[in-house]
Amino acid sequence: MLFRSLKLKPEDAAAKQKLAEANAALEKENALAKSAQAYEAAMKKGSDHLIAKAWNDAVISFTEALRLNPNDNKALTSKKEAEDQLAKQNARAENQAKYEKAMSEGDARIKQKQWREALLSYNNALAAKPQDTAANEKVKDIENKIKQIGRAHV
């Protein structure tokens, strides 16, 4: 209808204004639809990353979803879940690194017959992994060795 009016009266200011308003509304609607699609895609990617336990990627995807829809409770909750899991994963990796370092130090000190220092190292390994069988066995072995050395010096 607006196009026909403009064909008949190309200089009709009211018709031009209405056409501009209609075009702006259409562009806004298209932008909203694209934003909604991008939000849904980010949420799906985030959910897929959660299933795959790719916590960092999940955080990134949910952050993108929140950029598109800042107050979305599902995106907020999912991002928090991914962040919590990422923190746990990082803590496990840190504990594993501490454990491996302490076990290595203990092994090196045993070779040097530094029994008390080795015992300290293995106890540090147990602090990182309290139920570890290997570290517990090393502690028992060294405690026995220290007792034997003490008896030999009496």
Side-chain angles (χ1 to χ4, degrees):
M1 182 105 160
L2 287 172
F3 291 117
R4 214 160 68 196
S5 293
L6 283 172
K7 274 188 175 182
L8 294 174
K9 290 185 173 179
E11 300 303 319
D12 186 346
K16 282 183 179 181
Q17 178 64 32
K18 292 286 184 191
L19 182 60
E21 289 171 4
N23 283 334
L26 185 59
E27 284 179 25
K28 184 177 180 182
E29 189 175 310
N30 286 339
L32 287 174
K34 273 187 176 180
S35 179
Q37 288 173 342
Y39 164 80
E40 290 299 327
M43 288 298 292
K44 171 139 180 32
K45 265 176 90 173
S47 295
D48 291 346
H49 290 310
L50 281 181
I51 291 167
K53 297 182 180 179
W55 312 122
N56 194 48
D57 292 335
V59 169
I60 291 167
S61 294
F62 292 126
T63 299
E64 175 62 13
L66 285 166
R67 185 186 67 76
L68 297 165
N69 191 353
N71 298 317
D72 183 65
N73 282 332
K74 182 162 176 50
L76 285 167
T77 302
S78 298
K79 181 182 177 190
K80 173 97 172 79
E81 177 185 349
E83 288 171 335
D84 290 348
Q85 292 298 328
L86 182 60
K88 287 178 186 176
Q89 178 183 359
N90 289 341
R92 283 190 301 272
E94 186 178 319
N95 273 349
Q96 183 64 27
K98 287 178 182 177
Y99 166 81
E100 289 173 7
K101 181 180 181 208
M103 291 295 285
S104 178
E105 288 173 353
D107 292 345
R109 289 180 171 145
I110 282 180
K111 289 178 185 173
Q112 298 169 354
K113 298 184 189 230
Q114 296 175 337
W115 309 114
R116 296 207 184 278
E117 292 84 356
L119 183 61
L120 179 63
S121 292
Y122 291 128
N123 280 324
N124 287 339
L126 284 172
K129 286 176 85 174
Q131 303 302 320
D132 185 67
T133 304
N136 273 309
E137 287 177 8
K138 299 259 186 177
V139 166
K140 287 177 189 172
D141 290 345
I142 291 173
E143 286 174 342
N144 288 335
K145 183 69 173 174
I146 290 171
K147 285 179 188 175
Q148 287 174 355
I149 292 169
R151 278 188 237 129
H153 287 98
V154 175

